[in-house]
Amino acid sequence: MDALTLIKTRHSTRKFSDKPVEKEKLEQVIEAGRFAPSGGNNQTTHFIVIQDKSVLSELVRITREEFAKMNLKPDTYASLATSIKLSKKGTYVFHYNAPVLILTANRIGYDNNMADCSCAVENMMLMANALDLGSCWINQINWLNSNPVMVAYLKTLGMQDGETVYVSMALGYPDSPDGLPLRRIVERKGNPVTYVGEA
Ligand SMILES: Cc1cc2nc3c(=O)[nH]c(=O)nc-3n(C[C@H](O)[C@H](O)[C@H](O)COP(=O)(O)O)c2cc1C
């Protein structure tokens, strides 16, 4: 697949099969993330790669419990409101049961922390598409990045003092009829372009 087709056919996967991700493929996805650009070439993005089912279950439990304690306000961001509502019902699984969850953490107070994590995650999502894997950006961990219960648990997983999680990514084989990511190309209605001058 050429580069533009790879980019245009990447889509979020929100239904994953149980099929484990091969070690070689997982390593390629992580490598793609590590080779992303970073501000000032700082390379401070810390990848925490979780495949342990008991850890994933504990993260589901913590997110559910902590979101369930939150109050909805009229201006609550729509996706956060959904997380809160489903958590209050007790049915919320923030990572769509993906077999792998990759957290990208970076230094608190570093100006490009979120930007560097975003570049890394986009690289990993494209690599996933190239390897017939599905992926999805996950915001729920960073929405709890000042929650003491979540922070304490993330530290047991290797998050360092002075770091916080900015972006997470679910990864696995899509639960689709052919087992492949849905690769339709959706035309863009937004993202306007203004050309100034000609090449
Ligand atoms: C900054 C950002 C935050 C996102 N947060 C979430 C999220 O928390 N959960 C989720 O399921 N998808 C999330 N997404 C995925 C978007 O919903 C998705 O990329 C968008 O709807 C376009 O669909 P596509 O990825 O299939 O092209 C996020 C994407 C971005 C770039």
Side-chain angles (χ1 to χ4, degrees), residues 16-59:
F16 292 92
S17 80
D18 289 339
K19 185 177 168 185
V21 175
E22 298 85 343
K23 187 170 178 281
E24 301 70 36
K25 286 195 176 186
L26 181 57
E27 285 173 354
Q28 287 182 72
V29 170
I30 304 299
E31 193 77 338
R34 294 186 65 225
F35 272 74
S38 60
N41 201 17
N42 271 302
Q43 299 182 27
T44 48
T45 303
H46 178 190
F47 299 79
I48 301 172
V49 185
I50 306 167
Q51 300 181 81
D52 184 322
K53 286 193 171 73
S54 63
V55 172
L56 293 170
S57 300
E58 185 61 2
L59 285 169

Side-chain angles (χ1 to χ4, degrees), residues 69-91:
K69 290 177 193 164
M70 293 182 185
N71 291 319
L72 282 169
K73 295 180 198 141
D75 61 345
T76 303
Y77 176 60
S79 303
L80 175 58
T82 304
S83 301
I84 295 171
K85 279 182 208 156
L86 293 176
S87 296
K88 286 183 190 292
K89 278 191 198 163
T91 57

